[in-house]
Amino acid sequence: AMGGTGAAIRDNNSVSFSNPASYSSFDTLSFLFDFGADYGSSKLSQGSERYKANDINFDHMLIGFPVAKGLGVALGVLPYSNGYYRISEDILPTDPLYDPSIGSYTVSHNGDGGLTKFFIGTGLKFAKYFSAGINMTILTGHLDRTNNFNFDDINVYSNSSIERETLTGVNLEYGIQVSIPLVKKSFFNVGVSYIPGNHYSSTYEQYMYRFTSYGTNDTISYTNSKSKSLYIPGTLRAGISIGKTNKFTAAFDYVQTKWSSAVIPGSEGYLADTKAFLLGLEYTPDKFSNFSLLRRIDYRLGAHFSSNYLVLEGNQLQEKGVSLGMGIPMRKTSTVQYGLGKANLFIDYTHRTGPFIENTFSLG
């Protein structure tokens, strides 16, 4: 709900996994468990065409706990990518792509699977104002793609292609934070995290079937290749946050990834470098109020502006969005309670532009 900020966030009651240095802020008697899911509704439009999709996704499961004062450990699982899609189109005589020599046909593209990220990390406060951290991550999963071209003319060959990309590998993520206390419990934080680019072991399989209604001269081919050439580029995140403890936080993050250097089968010409600007605010009227739940709630507001990594029809997608949310304490308290439960809710609206317009609402 805070626009995706996190590089300079130090919250002793949450796991800010975008910078492992933040784990050093865990309270010495706390144990943190965080689980999330979200629902998304997207509407796409291109000219007179309209499309709508709805889906529910697992978002994260996180655990964090202190080992000693200034030393924390966190682990969790996060979705890295989702490869689910269903796209189909009928090419009829009225379509600009229609070719009289082959007649009408139907093309469909289906995707399934995804990549999952597991991590375990630690953060250490090694000086008065300085903390550092490291995550070890495992990225694993598979992406399936099915492409079908079915021609109405029984004399024309139809084609079907089934592809599977399996990926696995280990990487390290690094983070540092500088936290400077100011007057009257105010603070100023600076944070930087870096995920280096990494080569992953991958297996690519492709099954192709070419056929006609007559069943003569049909062909089947199968390809299986293994390599360590699949490359996912590094990400640099830098941010600042300023605020007053238990009262308010304002945060800003800058994130960049050189996706143009990625080596992913089938992505050639479709990827571009990305930059993102993230803004977030959190305000709590009175965290320890005994009389009003509304005053104990954390109220959040965020915004994000970025270039998307996808290039379609020669245009890099651009996106911007806003988010609202709140953290609702599960029971009231007049003193600090370690492990105090909280329900975090958010709504996000994202607008993407390119060769089409996409509006997405997410709830979580």
Side-chain angles (χ1 to χ4, degrees):
M2 292 178 65
T5 54
I9 297 294
R10 292 180 62 80
D11 185 347
N12 56 11
N13 285 313
S14 66
V15 181
S16 182
F17 55 84
S18 58
N19 190 335
S22 66
Y23 308 157
S24 64
S25 67
F26 294 158
D27 282 329
T28 53
L29 298 179
S30 65
F31 180 86
L32 306 174
F33 176 79
D34 192 349
F35 174 85
D38 63 65
Y39 164 79
S41 178
S42 298
K43 294 183 179 180
L44 282 79
S45 60
Q46 185 175 28
S48 60
E49 297 183 1
R50 299 289 186 272
Y51 175 76
K52 183 177 181 180
N54 300 283
D55 67 298
I56 298 176
N57 291 306
F58 162 75
D59 189 75
H60 64 267
M61 184 172 68
L62 308 170
I63 294 174
F65 55 90
V67 176
K69 185 176 181 180
L71 176 62
V73 172
L75 62 155
V77 56
L78 312 161
Y80 185 82
S81 72
N82 185 343
Y84 178 82
Y85 58 88
R86 297 286 185 270
I87 304 171
S88 64
E89 184 177 13
D90 295 320
I91 306 300
L92 304 174
T94 56
D95 195 283
L97 298 177
Y98 179 79
D99 185 344
S101 64
I102 60 175
S104 302
Y105 65 94
T106 298
V107 57
S108 63
H109 304 284
N110 300 327
D112 206 351
L115 302 179
T116 301
K117 179 178 177 179
F118 300 87
F119 78 91
I120 181 169
T122 184
L124 171 66
K125 185 175 182 180
F126 61 89
K128 186 175 182 180
Y129 302 132
F130 297 87
S131 298
I134 185 171
N135 282 333
M136 184 186 74
T137 65
I138 299 174
L139 188 62
T140 186
H142 65 84
L143 297 170
D144 296 334
R145 295 185 290 268
T146 302
N147 306 297
N148 294 304
F149 296 83
N150 296 312
F151 296 89
D152 292 349
D153 187 342
I154 61 175
N155 295 304
V156 178
Y157 280 98
S158 294
N159 299 276
S160 180
S161 171
I162 301 174
E163 304 170 75
R164 166 167 282 198
E165 182 82 33
T166 304
L167 178 150
T168 186
V170 178
N171 200 8
L172 296 176
E173 303 174 355
Y174 310 94
I176 58 172
Q177 287 184 330
V178 180
S179 182
I180 303 174
L182 305 177
V183 296
K184 297 182 179 180
K185 295 185 178 181
S186 297
F187 61 84
F188 176 76
N189 298 336
V190 178
V192 177
S193 64
Y194 179 62
I195 305 173
N198 193 45
H199 290 274
Y200 292 86
S201 299
S202 66
T203 300
Y204 177 74
E205 298 176 272
Q206 184 183 50
Y207 168 89
M208 296 186 68
Y209 180 36
R210 185 169 180 261
F211 60 95
T212 67
S213 298
Y214 296 116
T216 58
N217 297 321
D218 293 353
T219 60
I220 298 175
S221 65
Y222 174 74
T223 301
N224 186 315
S225 62
K226 296 182 179 181
S227 73
K228 293 185 178 180
S229 61
L230 191 148
Y231 179 75
I232 295 179
T235 295
L236 174 67
R237 178 188 288 258
I240 60 173
S241 68
I242 189 169
K244 186 174 182 179
T245 303
N246 296 326
K247 196 66 175 180
F248 77 90
T249 300
F252 168 79
D253 278 15
Y254 169 77
V255 187
Q256 70 172 30
T257 304
K258 292 188 175 298
W259 278 106
S260 61
S261 63
V263 179
I264 303 172
S267 69
E268 294 81 2
Y270 292 97
L271 299 178
D273 297 343
T274 62
K275 296 179 180 179
F277 301 91
L278 315 175
L279 301 168
L281 296 171
E282 179 184 78
Y283 174 69
T284 309
D286 185 354
K287 185 174 183 177
F288 307 113
S289 172
N290 287 320
F291 308 104
S292 173
L293 172 63
L294 294 179
R295 292 184 60 80
R296 295 195 305 274
I297 291 176
D298 302 324
Y299 297 93
R300 298 166 183 144
L301 174 67
H304 50 94
F305 309 87
S306 65
S307 51
N308 193 279
Y309 62 85
L310 277 177
V311 177
L312 300 177
E313 299 180 10
N315 298 305
Q316 183 177 8
L317 305 189
Q318 303 294 320
E319 63 181 56
K320 55 187 176 181
V322 295
S323 55
L324 293 170
M326 59 179 62
I328 306 172
M330 303 306 292
R331 59 189 176 92
K332 74 176 184 177
T333 176
S334 58
T335 60
V336 177
Q337 295 290 330
Y338 297 100
L340 182 65
K342 184 180 293 186
N344 294 298
L345 308 174
F346 80 91
I347 179 171
D348 178 89
Y349 165 72
T350 297
H351 176 75
R352 294 186 182 91
T353 57
F356 57 82
I357 295 174
E358 178 181 9
N359 294 300
T360 301
F361 288 91
S362 299
L363 301 171

